[in-house]
Amino acid sequence: MSRFFTAQDSSSESSSSDEEELYSEEEPDQKLKEESSSEEDDEDEDEESSSDESAGGKTGVSKFLRDQASSDGESSDSDTPKVVKSAKGKRLEELEGIIKLIDNAKKINDWSSISTEFDKLNRQVVKIATADKAPKIFISTIAELEDFTNETIAKQKASTKKMNATNAKGLNAMKQKVKRTNREHTVEIEKYREDKGDYLMSDDDEEIIPLEKTKKVKTAYNDGIDLDDDDGFTSVGRGGKPKQYTPESIFKHLRSIVSSRGKKNTDRADQIRTMEKLLEISETPYQKVRVLLTIISTRFDLTSGSSATFMSQEQWKMAEHEFCTLLEVLEENPILVVIEQADDWDDDEKPPQPAPGERLRIPGSIVSVVERLDDELTRSLQHIDPHTAEYLERLHDEQALYNNIVRALIYIEGLKRDSKLEIPQDSANRIVMRRVEHIYFKPSQVVDQLEEKAWNSIPARFSSTITPRDTINDTATLVQTLCIYLFENSTDIIRGRAYLCQVYFCALHDQYYRARDMLLMSHLQETIGNFDISTQILFNRTLVQVGLCAFRAGLVYESQNTLQEICGSGRQKELLAQGVMIQRYSQVTPEQERLERQRQLPFHMHINLELLECVYLTCSMLLEIPLLAQTGSSPDIKKRIISKTYRRLLEFHERQIFTGPPENTRDHVMQASRALAAGEWKRAAELINSIKIWELMASSDKIKAMLSEQIQEEGLRTYLFTYAPFYDTLAVTTLASMFELSERKVTAVISRMISNNEELAAALDQVNSAIIFRKGVELSRLQSLALTLSDKASGLIEANERTLEQRTQGTANAFERQGGQRGRGGGRGGRGGSRGDRGGARTRGGQQFGGGALGGAIKA
C-alpha cells in the first residue's frame, strides 16, 4: 500500500463516511437549484465547470495532499450550508470587484491599471443591463472617475514634477474614455450629483435581465419594411435593437466608426455601407463634408492589412466620385474649409457655429486625398498585365484623376488667398508637383487633350492663378510655368524633381541644347546621390532622354557620352525602374525586394530598352571602328577604349566560327561593324537601316538618312586610317567616288582629321586636290612588339613606384641606393655600381628602359 494511504488515521475515515451521508441528503435539493441556475446562464456555468475541471485535474502528490488538507476541515465546513448564487448576483460581485480594484488604483495614482480595469468595467456592464439605464453603482463610479480625472489633470498642470510616461499615457486614455462613456449617461450622472445618498438608496431599479452576448451584428426580418430596403431585412445593433439612422445621429455614428479604425476584426465594408446611408440622410453641407471625408478614408483602408496589393477599380472610382462631390460641396459653400490645422469638434449633439466673419474649419487634408488617389492608381497599373485590355481600361481613369488634381489646385489657391487660414505653401507645391508628373513624359498632343478635358469638367467661374484657363494654350509654356512656380516656392527635393521634369520635357521635344544647358547648370549630377531613390530614378530617365535627343539631332559623340553611364553598366532595367534584376547570389532581403517592386514605373511610362541599346551600340560602332583602325595602323598611339561593353560584344562576335544572318538588333550592329571595318560601308548602312526598331522613333526616315551619312563619313575615316601607310598621295576625287560624297565634304573630313591632334599624318594639296601623306619610320613587326613591351614595362615600373610610396608613406628615401652602399650587391656596388656602365648611360637604380639601339634610332 502506498505511504500516502498509510499516513491516514481512523478519524479521517470516519469523517469521510459522515460526509457521504451528508452529501447524499443534500444532493436532491442542490440538483434542483443547479438546474434553475443553469437555465439562467449557461455561459457562466461552463466557465465554472471548466475551472473546476482544471482544479480537479491535478494528479500525483498535489492531489493527495489536497485531499488530506481538506479532510481536516470538513467537520467544520459541514456545519455551514452551501449558498448557490444566481447569475445576477455573480455578475454584480464581479462588477463590485472591478470597482474595488479601480478604487485601490486611485489611491496609488496608477492610471495604467485604472485604464485597464475601466475597460473591463464597461464590458461587464453590458452583461448587466436594464430596460433603460445602467446599475447605480456603475453610475456613481464613472461620475467619481470623471471628477478624479479632472482633479489629477489640474494638479498635473500646476505641478512642476512631471508624471512618468506610462501614467501619462493612461491618464490621457482615461480622459477620452470617461468623456465618451459619460456622454451616454449624462442624465443619470446629473441625478447622482444632485443627491448622492438618495440616488443610491432609492429602489426604482428595474429587474436586471441578463442578455446574450452579441459579438456580431444580427439581422432580423421586419414586416413593416419595403422590399426595396435590403430585401426586407434591417440591421440590428447591441441588444437586438434595430439601428436608426437620423440626421441627428450622424456624428455619433461617425465617431464610433472613427474610433474603431485600425482595430482588428473591424468590418470596413459594413462601415462603408453605414456611411453611404448617412450620406443619403445628411441634410446640411457640414454633415455631408464630414461623412465624405470619413468614407473616403475608410475606402483607402480596405487595402491596408489585407492580402490585396492595390485598390480595386470599383472602390477607386467610388472614392474618386466622392472626392469630386466633396470639392463641389466645398465650392458651393465657401464658409466651409477643410484644412489640416483645424481642431476636432467633440460635441455630437449640435454642429459647430463659426464666429461672425470667420469660416468653419473642418479637420482633413485635400492634398493627402489627391496623393492617395494618385498612388493607388499607380499601384494598380504596376500590378496589371500591360498587354491586356484591363490595363488600357484602367489607364482611362487617369483623365478623371487629372481633373481632380487641377480642381484641387484651384481650391487650394482659393484658400491661400485668405490670410487668416494660414495655408502652408507646401500644400500647393505638392499638388503642382503631381500635376507636372502627369504631363512631363507625354507628347504635346496628348497633354493638350488632357488639359482641354480637364478644363471642360470644371465650372467656367473657376480659374487658376498659376495657369489661367485661357492664357496658356501651349504645352511647353504650361510645363515651364508650373516648373518656374516650383523653382520659386519650393526647396530641396521638389525643386530638383521639377528641374528634371522640365529637362526631360525639353529633351523629349528635340530641344537638345536647352536640355543640356539646363542639366549642366543645375549641377544635379554632383548632388543627386543625396536625393531619395525615386528622384535618382527620375535623373537616370532624364539622362537617357537627353542622350536619345542628341542621337536624333545627329550628335553621335554627345549621345554615346551621355548614355555611357547608364547603358555601360548593364543594369538599365534597375536604374530606370523598369524591372527587377534578381541575381543568383545576391543578398537582397525580401523587404528590399518588396520596396524595389514598389518603385517600379507603370508600363506606359517606360523607355524602350531595345531602342536604347540599339542607339548606344550604333553610336559606339561609329566611334570605335575608326579608333580601332587608327590604333592598328599606328602602334605608337596609346590605345584607349570608348565603350567596354561594345568591345566585349565585338570580340565575342569575332570569336564565333560561324555567323548566320542577323536575328536581333545586336547581331545587326555587330555585322555592320565588321563590314565597316572592312571598308564595306554600303553593307554596313544596309544592315543598320534594316533594324526595325527605328520605326518606333518619330521621323524614322530622317533618322535612317542621318545614319547613312554618318556611316559614309566614318567609313572614309576608317579607310584613311587603315591604308594611309600604303599611299604617298591620294586624289580627293577618288575618295569622293568611293564613298559617294561630295568633294567639299571629303575635304572637310580630311581637314578635320589633320587638325584634330594630327590624327592623320598628311597634308592637303588644294591646288591638285590631293592628299600628301607624310612617311614616318616604318617599323617591322618585331620593332612594334618591342615598343609595346617597353610601354608595358614603363607602366609596371610606375605602378611599383606608386605602391612603394603608399606603403612607405614618406620613408622612401630610406630605400635609396647611394653609391652601392645599400641594397642588393654588397661590395659589388649593387645595381648601379661599377657594373652599371655596361648597359650604356643608365640612371641610378637601373629602373628605366630607353629602347636600346632601336629606341635611339626612333628618337633620332
Side-chain angles (χ1 to χ4, degrees):
M1 182 179 294
S2 173
R3 59 189 178 88
F4 295 107
F5 289 101
T6 57
Q8 306 274 343
D9 56 0
S10 61
S11 62
S12 63
E13 293 177 358
S14 62
S15 63
S16 64
S17 62
D18 295 338
E19 281 181 356
E20 291 177 358
E21 295 177 359
L22 178 61
Y23 285 141
S24 64
E25 293 174 358
E26 293 181 353
E27 188 174 1
D29 298 336
Q30 185 174 355
K31 187 176 295 184
L32 291 174
K33 293 179 182 179
E34 288 176 354
E35 290 177 356
S36 62
S37 62
S38 64
E39 293 176 356
E40 293 176 357
D41 191 8
D42 293 336
E43 182 180 356
D44 293 342
E45 194 167 284
D46 293 338
E47 294 175 358
E48 291 174 1
S49 63
S50 63
S51 63
D52 292 340
E53 289 174 3
S54 63
K58 297 179 180 179
T59 59
V61 179
S62 60
K63 175 182 177 181
F64 295 106
L65 292 178
R66 185 195 62 174
D67 293 341
Q68 185 178 2
S70 62
S71 64
D72 297 337
E74 281 176 353
S75 60
S76 61
D77 293 342
S78 62
D79 297 337
T80 60
K82 297 283 184 177
V83 179
V84 180
K85 298 181 181 180
S86 63
K88 177 181 69 175
K90 292 177 183 177
R91 289 173 175 170
L92 282 175
E93 276 191 2
E94 292 178 3
L95 189 69
E96 291 174 356
I98 295 173
I99 293 174
K100 187 175 181 180
L101 291 175
I102 292 177
D103 292 337
N104 293 336
K106 285 164 60 177
K107 293 177 183 179
I108 61 176
N109 205 26
D110 186 2
W111 285 98
S112 178
S113 301
I114 293 175
S115 178
T116 304
E117 298 300 329
F118 187 74
D119 293 337
K120 295 181 181 179
L121 183 68
N122 286 327
R123 289 194 294 268
Q124 188 67 21
V125 169
V126 176
K127 304 176 183 178
I128 309 174
T130 61
D132 296 325
K133 52 189 177 182
K136 292 183 177 180
I137 189 172
F138 173 74
I139 298 297
S140 63
T141 301
I142 61 175
E144 292 174 0
L145 261 178
E146 184 179 9
D147 297 338
F148 184 68
T149 303
N150 294 334
E151 290 177 3
T152 306
I153 293 175
K155 291 179 181 178
Q156 187 64 24
K157 290 181 179 179
S159 175
T160 57
K161 185 178 180 181
K162 291 185 178 181
M163 190 179 292
N164 60 49
T166 306
N167 262 357
K169 185 178 180 180
L171 178 60
N172 292 332
M174 280 300 300
K175 178 183 176 182
Q176 302 297 329
K177 293 177 183 178
V178 168
K179 184 184 297 184
R180 184 167 56 251
T181 304
N182 290 10
R183 191 182 294 116
E184 301 176 0
H185 307 283
T186 306
V187 178
E188 295 296 324
I189 292 175
E190 291 178 355
K191 291 181 181 179
Y192 169 75
R193 286 177 174 168
E194 288 176 2
D195 195 342
K196 300 182 180 179
D198 292 344
Y199 181 80
L200 294 176
M201 295 299 294
S202 61
D203 296 332
D204 56 349
D205 288 348
E206 297 184 2
E207 184 181 359
I208 298 177
I209 304 174
L211 298 176
E212 295 182 358
K213 290 185 177 181
T214 56
K215 296 182 179 179
K216 298 181 180 179
V217 177
K218 299 180 179 179
T219 57
Y221 184 73
N222 192 348
D223 295 334
I225 298 179
D226 297 334
L227 294 177
D228 295 337
D229 187 8
D230 295 335
D231 295 333
F233 289 86
T234 181
S235 299
V236 296
R238 193 182 298 275
K241 296 181 180 180
K243 290 184 178 180
Q244 296 180 355
Y245 301 109
T246 61
E248 292 77 15
S249 65
I250 287 179
F251 300 124
K252 183 178 180 181
H253 289 294
L254 288 179
R255 185 172 295 278
S256 64
I257 290 173
V258 172
S259 62
S260 64
R261 186 178 183 186
K263 295 182 179 179
K264 293 183 178 179
N265 302 325
T266 302
D267 190 355
R268 297 188 180 92
D270 181 66
Q271 291 181 348
I272 290 175
R273 288 192 293 269
T274 300
M275 286 186 285
E276 287 175 349
K277 295 177 181 179
L278 296 178
L279 184 61
E280 293 176 359
I281 64 173
S282 58
E283 297 176 348
T284 63
Y286 177 74
Q287 292 176 343
K288 291 182 179 179
V289 171
R290 288 285 302 274
V291 174
L292 286 170
L293 286 172
T294 310
I295 192 175
I296 292 173
S297 301
T298 308
R299 289 194 191 278
F300 289 142
D301 289 342
L302 286 174
T303 54
S304 60
S306 64
S307 59
T309 54
F310 59 93
M311 197 173 181
S312 65
Q313 185 176 6
E314 180 184 3
Q315 292 294 332
W316 189 91
K317 285 187 175 181
M318 289 181 178
E320 184 272 331
H321 176 70
E322 288 157 358
F323 179 67
C324 188
T325 306
L326 173 64
L327 291 178
E328 291 177 357
V329 174
L330 293 175
E331 290 168 354
E332 294 172 359
N333 301 274
I335 195 173
L336 301 176
V337 293
V338 176
I339 57 177
E340 299 179 13
Q341 298 84 5
D343 297 329
D344 195 6
W345 184 256
D346 295 332
D347 193 355
D348 295 338
E349 302 296 333
K350 58 180 180 178
Q353 298 295 331
E358 297 290 335
R359 304 171 75 175
L360 183 56
R361 306 184 181 190
I362 304 173
S365 176
I366 298 295
V367 182
S368 298
V369 175
V370 171
E371 291 178 336
R372 187 63 185 273
L373 284 172
D374 192 7
D375 293 340
E376 290 294 342
L377 179 61
T378 303
R379 193 175 293 115
S380 65
L381 291 173
Q382 288 174 346
H383 290 84
I384 297 175
D385 186 2
H387 304 292
T388 59
E390 183 184 2
Y391 189 89
L392 295 178
E393 182 182 357
R394 198 73 179 93
L395 196 58
H396 290 163
D397 295 332
E398 187 180 12
Q399 180 65 60
L401 175 62
Y402 188 77
N403 298 347
N404 288 327
I405 290 176
V406 177
R407 196 163 188 172
L409 177 59
I410 295 174
Y411 177 74
I412 295 296
E413 289 176 0
L415 296 183
K416 284 181 62 63
R417 287 193 287 268
D418 190 351
S419 58
K420 297 180 181 179
L421 298 177
E422 298 179 355
I423 303 297
Q425 180 64 38
D426 183 61
S427 299
N429 294 341
R430 286 156 59 190
I431 293 189
V432 173
M433 191 67 240
R434 292 282 175 166
R435 187 177 177 184
V436 171
E437 288 178 348
H438 275 275
I439 62 177
Y440 80 94
F441 63 93
K442 294 184 173 69
S444 298
Q445 298 83 356
V446 179
V447 178
D448 291 339
Q449 293 183 4
L450 202 66
E451 282 284 317
E452 182 180 357
K453 292 180 180 179
W455 286 111
N456 290 337
S457 65
I458 301 174
R461 66 179 185 275
F462 296 110
S463 182
S464 174
T465 56
I466 301 175
T467 57
R469 181 187 291 264
D470 299 326
T471 56
I472 297 181
N473 298 321
D474 183 18
T475 305
T477 307
L478 171 66
V479 174
Q480 183 177 359
T481 303
L482 293 174
C483 292
I484 289 177
Y485 178 83
L486 293 175
F487 299 159
E488 296 174 350
N489 297 282
S490 63
T491 56
D492 299 335
I493 294 180
I494 293 183
R495 175 181 290 182
R497 291 184 67 86
Y499 214 104
L500 291 173
C501 288
Q502 187 174 6
V503 174
Y504 189 104
F505 183 83
C506 293
L508 184 65
H509 293 81
D510 296 330
Q511 301 177 17
Y512 168 73
Y513 292 104
R514 183 182 180 190
R516 181 201 63 181
D517 295 343
M518 289 182 63
L519 189 61
L520 293 176
M521 288 188 298
S522 66
H523 297 285
L524 284 173
Q525 61 272 16
E526 301 172 2
T527 59
I528 192 62
N530 301 327
F531 286 79
D532 59 330
I533 296 180
S534 61
T535 307
Q536 294 180 22
I537 292 171
L538 179 59
F539 177 80
N540 295 338
R541 285 167 51 82
T542 304
L543 204 63
V544 167
Q545 200 60 245
V546 171
L548 294 177
C549 180
F551 177 77
R552 291 192 297 269
L555 304 173
V556 175
Y557 176 78
E558 289 80 358
S559 176
Q560 199 277 340
N561 193 25
T562 306
L563 298 177
Q564 174 67 35
E565 186 175 358
I566 304 297
C567 299
S569 63
R571 299 165 53 224
Q572 296 93 317
K573 277 188 178 181
E574 185 178 355
L575 295 176
L576 299 178
Q578 295 182 191
V580 180
M581 299 180 63
I582 304 299
Q583 299 178 359
R584 180 178 298 179
Y585 302 107
S586 63
Q587 298 179 352
V588 179
T589 62
E591 180 66 18
Q592 292 175 341
E593 183 179 352
R594 184 183 64 83
L595 294 175
E596 185 68 24
R597 294 188 183 278
Q598 287 181 354
R599 288 191 287 264
Q600 299 303 301
L601 295 174
F603 183 76
H604 68 282
M605 297 179 65
H606 283 192
I607 297 173
N608 194 311
L609 294 180
E610 187 179 356
L611 175 63
L612 181 61
E613 183 186 25
C614 182
V615 170
Y616 174 71
L617 292 179
T618 304
C619 293
S620 300
M621 177 193 74
L622 295 175
L623 296 177
E624 283 280 6
I625 295 300
L627 182 62
L628 288 172
Q630 182 182 11
T631 55
S633 61
S634 302
D636 55 338
I637 296 179
K638 186 178 181 180
K639 294 183 179 180
R640 60 189 182 93
I641 299 176
I642 296 177
S643 174
K644 292 183 179 179
T645 304
Y646 173 80
R647 287 284 185 97
R648 186 168 58 252
L649 293 174
L650 186 61
E651 290 175 0
F652 175 77
H653 188 267
E654 290 178 348
R655 284 198 303 267
Q656 290 181 349
I657 300 174
F658 172 77
T659 55
E663 297 179 355
N664 52 29
T665 303
R666 188 173 296 177
D667 291 344
H668 279 83
V669 176
M670 292 300 106
Q671 292 194 15
S673 301
R674 295 185 65 178
L676 185 61
E680 301 176 1
W681 66 270
K682 290 185 178 181
R683 173 64 178 164
E686 181 183 353
L687 288 169
I688 293 296
N689 290 335
S690 63
I691 300 176
K692 297 181 180 180
I693 199 70
W694 303 124
E695 303 297 333
L696 298 180
M697 300 184 72
S699 304
S700 59
D701 295 335
K702 294 183 179 179
I703 298 295
K704 292 179 180 179
M706 180 270 295
L707 287 173
S708 299
E709 185 179 350
Q710 291 285 347
I711 290 173
Q712 285 176 312
E713 293 184 12
E714 298 304 326
L716 173 61
R717 297 180 71 244
T718 304
Y719 182 83
L720 291 176
F721 283 135
T722 305
Y723 299 104
F726 305 99
Y727 283 101
D728 290 329
T729 60
L730 183 60
V732 175
T733 56
T734 305
L735 292 175
S737 62
M738 288 176 60
F739 294 94
E740 298 181 2
L741 293 172
S742 63
E743 294 185 7
R744 183 175 183 182
K745 185 69 174 177
V746 172
T747 304
V749 172
I750 295 172
S751 300
R752 190 163 57 247
M753 293 175 65
I754 294 173
S755 61
N756 188 11
N757 295 327
E758 294 187 353
E759 288 182 351
L760 185 64
L764 186 60
D765 186 0
Q766 295 182 353
V767 176
N768 298 320
S769 184
I771 308 172
I772 303 174
F773 294 95
R774 293 198 303 267
K775 296 294 182 179
V777 178
E778 295 184 4
L779 303 179
S780 63
R781 179 66 177 170
L782 178 61
Q783 293 172 339
S784 299
L785 293 175
L787 288 176
T788 304
L789 177 62
S790 72
D791 292 338
K792 290 183 177 181
S794 300
L796 183 60
I797 290 171
E798 292 177 359
N800 288 339
E801 290 178 350
R802 285 195 298 268
T803 305
L804 180 63
E805 290 178 0
Q806 291 175 359
R807 291 187 178 183
T808 56
Q809 295 181 356
T811 60
N813 294 331
F815 298 94
E816 289 182 357
R817 304 178 179 88
Q818 298 178 358
Q821 297 177 1
R822 296 182 182 180
R824 290 182 296 176
R828 295 182 299 171
R831 294 184 181 176
S834 58
R835 291 173 23 180
D837 53 352
R838 286 194 304 171
R842 298 177 61 187
T843 58
R844 183 176 58 187
Q847 293 184 352
Q848 293 185 1
F849 176 66
L854 179 61
I858 295 174
K859 292 178 181 179

